[in-house]
Amino acid sequence: LARREMAEANVQHLGTDDHYEVFQECKKCSAKWYTIGLNLGIPYHILDTIKHDCPNGGDQCMSNMLTKWLQKVDEKCVRDWRSLCQALCDVDKSTADRIAEKHHVTDYII
């Protein structure tokens, strides 16, 4: 328990100022932005609005989805590198692993 509390104390919470870095880290997964958004806990109606506003999908949808996540669109969504790695894990595990290593994230596979 003490180990987990220490790990949680070292969590870097993310905000809108981190958008560029977060986007660059997971840009290669842009084709799966909708699934990643669901995994991050973003409500369907918000993802559907993004999809409607960006009919070509890809990077723009990913960027808009990450903006919504970082803006705390849903207070239940946790905004940190661990949550991002968890959301990416079933979409692109190698990207999740790379981000986890770079940002010192442990225990993100659920």
Side-chain angles (χ1 to χ4, degrees):
L1 183 64
R3 183 175 173 214
R4 182 177 176 94
E5 288 171 354
M6 283 179 56
E8 288 175 4
N10 292 327
V11 169
Q12 177 190 353
H13 294 281
L14 301 170
T16 54
D17 290 345
D18 301 300
H19 180 273
Y20 180 80
E21 182 178 9
V22 171
F23 178 70
Q24 292 303 314
E25 292 287 5
C26 55
K27 184 178 179 178
K28 83 173 234 186
C29 302
S30 289
K32 300 286 188 173
W33 71 270
Y34 198 98
T35 300
I36 296 165
L38 289 174
N39 291 348
L40 287 170
I42 299 174
Y44 287 99
H45 71 278
I46 292 172
L47 295 173
D48 287 343
T49 299
I50 293 169
K51 187 176 182 179
H52 178 266
D53 292 346
C54 304
N56 295 329
D59 290 353
Q60 186 62 49
C61 286
M62 175 67 100
S63 178
N64 291 356
M65 178 274 295
L66 290 171
T67 296
K68 291 295 183 186
W69 178 61
L70 293 168
Q71 287 174 337
K72 301 181 182 182
V73 70
D74 184 341
E75 287 302 319
K76 292 181 247 175
C77 293
V78 177
R79 283 155 297 282
D80 60 22
W81 291 112
R82 183 176 185 269
S83 297
L84 184 62
C85 289
Q86 287 174 332
L88 290 168
C89 197
D90 67 334
V91 172
D92 186 338
K93 187 166 180 327
S94 65
T95 297
D97 289 344
R98 181 181 46 75
I99 292 169
E101 182 177 343
K102 181 176 180 180
H103 296 282
H104 312 290
V105 175
T106 58
D107 303 328
Y108 71 91
I109 299 174
I110 46 177

